[in-house]
Amino acid sequence: MANKIIIITAPSGAGKTTIVKQLLSEMPQLEFSISATTRTARENEVDGKDYYFLTQEDFHEKIEAHEFAEYEMVYAGKYYGTLKSELERIWQHGRTPMVDIDVKGALSIKEHYQDAALTIFIQPPTLDALRVRLSERGTETQASLEERLGKARYELSFSHQFDEIVINDQLAIAHAEVKALVEGFLK
Ligand code: ADP
Ligand code: 5GP
C-alpha cells in the first residue's frame, strides 16, 4: 500500500517527542511531519523545523483555503494543524510521514486515511508521573502545567480508540515497542 502515515499521540508530557525523535534518527524511511501552530516558539525551537509558526491571521487563511488535513485548537486560543502540503512533500520524498499530534487530530486523520494510517497512543504510567515529567521539562508555567494535566485526564479516556497503546514507563522498553509496531506496519 502506498502513502502510509504513522500517527503518534499522547497527553502532553507522556514522552511522545522523545520517542519520535529516537525513531526518526534510526529509521530513514520516516520523516517528521512539521505542523503549523499559532503558539509562540520555545527558546530552542526553529521555524520550519519544529513547527511552522504562523500568525492567527495566516492560520485562519489556511483553514479557509482548506489547506489542512486536520487542525485543532489544542489549548485556549492556540491552533495546531497538519498541512496537506506537508504530507505530500514527505510522500514525494518516498518517505512515510511521522505525525505527532493531539488525540482529536489523530482520530480525524485516522478517520480519513483508515488502514493507511497507524495510530499509536503513548500512555504515561500515572498522572503523577506526568506532572513530574512536565515540571522537570521546565517548559510550563504553573497555569499551563495545570491546563496540560487537565487535558491529559480527558485525553486518557480516548486511549482505547487507537490502534495501539504503549505505556511509557521505562523509556527504552516503550521505544522498542513503538519501533516494532512501526516496522511491522511498514513491512
Ligand atoms: P511529549 O512530547 O509527550 O509532551 P516529551 O517527550 O517532551 O513529552 O517528554 C516529557 C519529559 O519527560 C521530557 O523531559 C522527557 O525527557 C521526559 N521523559 C520521557 N520519557 C520518560 C520516561 N520513560 N521516564 C522519565 N522521563 C521521561
Ligand atoms: P506543544 O505545544 O507541546 O508543542 O504541543 C502541544 C500538543 O499539540 C501536543 O499534544 C502535540 O501533539 C499537539 N500537536 C502538534 N502538532 C499538531 C497538529 O498538527 N495537529 C494537532 N491536532 N495537534 C498537534
Side-chain angles (χ1 to χ4, degrees):
M1 192 198 302
N3 290 355
K4 294 182 178 182
I5 308 186
I6 313 280
I7 301 162
I8 309 269
T9 192
S12 177
K16 178 169 37 80
T17 308
T18 308
I19 291 173
V20 164
K21 281 195 176 151
Q22 285 182 348
L23 287 186
L24 288 166
S25 69
E26 296 163 346
M27 299 183 70
Q29 62 273 52
L30 299 179
E31 189 169 338
F32 182 64
S33 165
I34 303 164
S35 293
T37 184
T38 62
R39 86 149 160 76
T40 47
R42 293 177 188 143
E43 210 175 305
N44 55 342
E45 287 178 329
V46 177
D47 185 33
K49 180 168 168 274
D50 299 287
Y51 282 104
Y52 300 112
F53 293 100
L54 301 184
T55 61
Q56 293 278 351
E57 197 182 17
D58 287 345
F59 200 100
H60 283 285
E61 267 175 25
K62 291 187 188 303
I63 295 174
E64 300 286 304
H66 304 286
E67 290 184 35
F68 287 106
E70 64 74 39
Y71 70 90
E72 298 287 337
M73 189 166 81
V74 177
Y75 298 107
K78 304 280 186 284
Y79 285 87
Y80 295 75
T82 308
L83 289 161
K84 291 177 187 166
S85 58
E86 180 66 9
L87 300 177
E88 291 296 339
R89 182 181 73 76
I90 296 171
W91 285 324
Q92 283 191 355
H93 291 174
R95 301 202 183 106
T96 299
M98 172 69 113
V99 185
D100 164 349
I101 60 179
D102 88 322
V103 162
K104 283 195 187 160
L107 291 174
S108 48
I109 293 211
K110 176 70 182 180
E111 195 174 301
H112 186 75
Y113 291 99
Q114 299 280 322
D115 289 348
L118 172 69
T119 53
I120 303 176
F121 185 88
I122 309 288
Q123 187 167 315
T126 61
L127 278 170
D128 279 346
L130 196 63
R131 178 183 287 277
V132 170
R133 286 180 198 176
L134 276 174
S135 38
E136 286 181 351
R137 191 171 69 182
T139 51
E140 307 309 317
T141 62
Q142 191 59 35
S144 75
L145 182 94
E146 294 305 331
E147 185 184 18
R148 281 171 190 251
L149 284 172
K151 189 173 165 73
R153 277 185 207 101
Y154 171 71
E155 291 189 321
L156 284 166
S157 68
F158 286 84
S159 61
H160 60 282
Q161 296 190 37
F162 297 96
D163 296 324
E164 305 286 349
I165 299 177
V166 172
I167 296 175
N168 180 19
D169 187 358
Q170 297 296 316
L171 180 60
I173 295 173
H175 162 247
E177 280 178 18
V178 175
K179 190 173 183 189
L181 290 169
V182 170
E183 283 174 344
F185 179 69
L186 292 181
K187 243 183 218 155

